[in-house]
Amino acid sequence: MTELHSDDYANAEDAADPLRSFRNEFLIPRHGDREQAYFCGNSLGLQPKGARAHVEEVLDKWAMEAVEGHFTGQAQWMPYHELVREPLAHVVGAQPSEVVAMNSLTANLHLMMVSFYQPSIERTAILIEAGSFPSDRYAVESQLRYRGLPPELCLIEVQPDEPNGTVSMQHLERTIAEHGPRLAMVLWPGVQYRTGQGFDLKEIARLGHNAGAIVGFDLAHAAGNLPLQLHDSGADFAVWCHYKYMNSGPGAVAGCFVHERHANSTRPRFAGWWGHRQSTRFRMGPEFEPTPGAEGWQLSNPPILGLAPLRASLELFERAGMEALRAKSLQLTGYLESLIRERLSAKLQIVTPDEPERRGCQLSLRVAGGREQGRSLFDFLATQGVLGDWREPDVIRISPAPFYNNHADVVRFVRAVEAWQTS
Ligand SMILES: Cc1ncc(COP(=O)(O)O)c(C=O)c1O
């Protein structure tokens, strides 16, 4: 029988992979005379080969047509953001009018909270996870202070209740119920950045809404990783970035979702001219009249050069489909998990939940012996061309991305850890 960790097994699985050709759509960094085993899509996804052509198209148009580029050709700049609307809606399971690509994640989070966090006398509290991504915490805390509310009283942080630092739904449900009457907003991640835990967004939206709160999601680690159904989840809003699993480049233009029921919202918002109704925007009138839907939260005319790689990436998502990507992701991360359990369990502890429905592609690993051993392994992996990333205090994140990783990469990771063990 072919052993699970053998090249034969890995190569056979890769040959049978229906998405195998997509690896060749990406530029994989090199390590010496071979490709890296790149497991860092949770941080920065690889460059689609098509990105350069889209960026060059914008540069050429600018060179040759200058201001006329706003109005000419198929990819004219005036409605350029609309080119990404439908494919983006497919990736996150939304209606096209519910999504917009704009700004950065944290900026979008602030814009959403300006509209959707509306504290009343009884309801002032925002519930987040303890250990949330720092930018989310800073954003939430600064929104509270901006409204003259003390974070010590109004910020509720849900502590992990499971041994590896993950949070059970029962615990989350209890905490939401406990604070229900004073909750104004629940802000929760789709996938937790440090532990890799994935959450049932529909259930969290249901619990938050039942308690009378607004529910928003940070999908930085979920977009392009899990097949989301944002519309059906019922969430009020969501924000995410496009530089991780969305492969759109460093600091890429981010994403934002506003549920259809808020399409014509009269909630307060921080407005800008690009959010004004398209048909009358250029009358340049003094009164702001929002475009219905998520686009009504836009501030500025979009950075076309920044949107160009997102177009290239979304073309790949359209071709592959989130369901097929997830099927491969389940297989690949399951393979990584099996090999770690079979061969590396004396050294590596998997922090991420075992249940595939409670995680995306990332496995977060702790190394026996603590932080120093962890750093030692992490540094050794890099010398072998195996790239994960490190999150303080002691976690190595390894994320096989179904677009460009394969079983052979996973075997390389395992062999590198074994070499470190014996070194
Ligand atoms: C979970 C999470 N939230 C927020 C951010 C901040 O994103 P940005 O710098 O794009 O605002 C990140 C960045 O990695 C993240 O991982």
Side-chain angles (χ1 to χ4, degrees), residues 2-66:
T2 322
E3 287 187 300
L4 211 57
H5 65 282
S6 67
D7 290 332
D8 283 351
Y9 180 89
N11 293 339
E13 289 297 309
D14 289 337
D17 167 14
L19 297 184
R20 66 187 175 282
S21 65
F22 281 95
R23 183 177 170 95
N24 193 37
E25 300 281 354
F26 289 87
L27 292 162
I28 301 177
R30 298 196 71 79
H31 178 80
D33 58 359
R34 62 194 299 204
E35 286 171 337
Q36 267 180 9
Y38 188 85
F39 291 110
C40 236
N42 54 62
S43 182
L44 181 70
L46 293 181
Q47 182 183 139
K49 287 181 181 167
R52 184 174 295 271
H54 281 301
V55 172
E56 283 180 355
E57 180 192 48
V58 178
L59 288 172
D60 290 345
K61 208 171 171 62
W62 179 23
M64 290 183 286
E65 301 177 35

Side-chain angles (χ1 to χ4, degrees), residues 42-43 104-107 133 135-136 189 191 193 218 220-221 241 243-244 252 254 391 397:
N42 54 62
S43 182
S104 60
L105 187 158
T106 307
F133 193 83
S135 199
D136 291 20
V191 173
Y193 81 99
D218 174 345
H221 289 261
C241 55
Y243 43 78
K244 299 179 187 291
R391 275 292 167 264
R397 302 188 295 186

Side-chain angles (χ1 to χ4, degrees), residues 18-148:
L19 297 184
R20 66 187 175 282
S21 65
F22 281 95
R23 183 177 170 95
N24 193 37
E25 300 281 354
F26 289 87
L27 292 162
I28 301 177
R30 298 196 71 79
H31 178 80
D33 58 359
R34 62 194 299 204
E35 286 171 337
Q36 267 180 9
Y38 188 85
F39 291 110
C40 236
N42 54 62
S43 182
L44 181 70
L46 293 181
Q47 182 183 139
K49 287 181 181 167
R52 184 174 295 271
H54 281 301
V55 172
E56 283 180 355
E57 180 192 48
V58 178
L59 288 172
D60 290 345
K61 208 171 171 62
W62 179 23
M64 290 183 286
E65 301 177 35
V67 72
E68 310 278 13
H70 284 100
F71 318 107
T72 56
Q74 240 200 332
Q76 49 189 271
W77 302 332
M78 191 69 89
Y80 196 90
H81 63 277
E82 293 172 13
L83 294 171
V84 300
R85 186 165 52 196
E86 287 224 5
L88 190 52
H90 295 160
V91 171
V92 297
Q95 296 177 5
S97 64
E98 292 175 317
V99 298
V100 60
M102 61 180 189
N103 310 318
S104 60
L105 187 158
T106 307
N108 289 341
L109 181 55
H110 274 297
L111 290 179
M112 290 295 101
M113 286 197 282
V114 160
S115 291
F116 291 102
Y117 172 56
Q118 292 300 325
S120 64
I121 300 206
E122 305 79 34
R123 288 181 184 272
T124 54
I126 302 179
L127 182 137
I128 63 173
E129 27 138 21
S132 65
F133 193 83
S135 199
D136 291 20
R137 199 181 186 289
Y138 305 155
V140 166
E141 205 182 309
S142 59
Q143 285 280 338
L144 289 168
R145 289 190 200 283
Y146 177 68
R147 292 165 202 257

Side-chain angles (χ1 to χ4, degrees), residues 221-374:
H221 289 261
N225 181 12
L226 292 173
L228 301 165
Q229 296 299 334
L230 271 186
H231 175 83
D232 291 345
S233 81
D236 295 285
F237 71 86
V239 293
W240 61 92
C241 55
H242 287 134
Y243 43 78
K244 299 179 187 291
Y245 301 108
M246 297 297 298
N247 306 318
S248 301
V253 179
C256 186
F257 163 90
V258 178
H259 196 277
E260 188 189 26
R261 67 178 169 278
H262 300 299
N264 295 301
S265 171
T266 54
R267 289 166 177 271
R269 71 177 88 186
F270 282 176
W273 76 313
W274 222 254
H276 187 95
R277 191 179 282 278
Q278 204 179 338
S279 55
T280 54
R281 188 185 293 149
F282 280 86
R283 287 194 199 148
M284 305 301 210
E287 300 291 335
F288 176 72
E289 190 194 336
T291 300
E295 289 186 5
W297 272 266
Q298 293 175 106
L299 297 178
S300 305
N301 76 101
I304 305 299
L305 281 167
L307 284 174
L310 177 59
R311 274 185 77 197
S313 165
L314 287 169
E315 283 164 15
L316 298 179
F317 276 98
E318 285 285 272
R319 274 170 50 201
M322 271 316 297
E323 294 303 325
L325 284 164
R326 175 63 171 162
K328 176 171 173 189
S329 175
L330 285 168
Q331 195 187 356
L332 211 51
T333 295
Y335 183 57
L336 174 64
E337 179 187 29
S338 304
L339 289 189
I340 291 173
R341 293 205 192 288
E342 186 185 291
R343 306 188 64 80
L344 308 173
S345 59
K347 272 286 165 194
L348 295 186
Q349 177 213 354
I350 301 175
V351 171
T352 310
D354 299 345
E355 307 92 322
E357 65 280 8
R358 292 181 75 210
R359 67 188 185 202
C361 68
Q362 169 185 330
L363 290 187
S364 300
L365 308 170
R366 279 204 185 95
V367 182
R371 187 178 185 283
E372 219 170 285
Q373 288 294 298

Side-chain angles (χ1 to χ4, degrees), residues 171-191:
H171 179 54
L172 182 55
E173 182 170 0
R174 275 194 304 273
T175 315
I176 289 176
E178 181 190 339
H179 297 282
R182 66 189 194 96
L183 277 189
M185 192 178 92
V186 172
L187 176 67
W188 206 257
V191 173

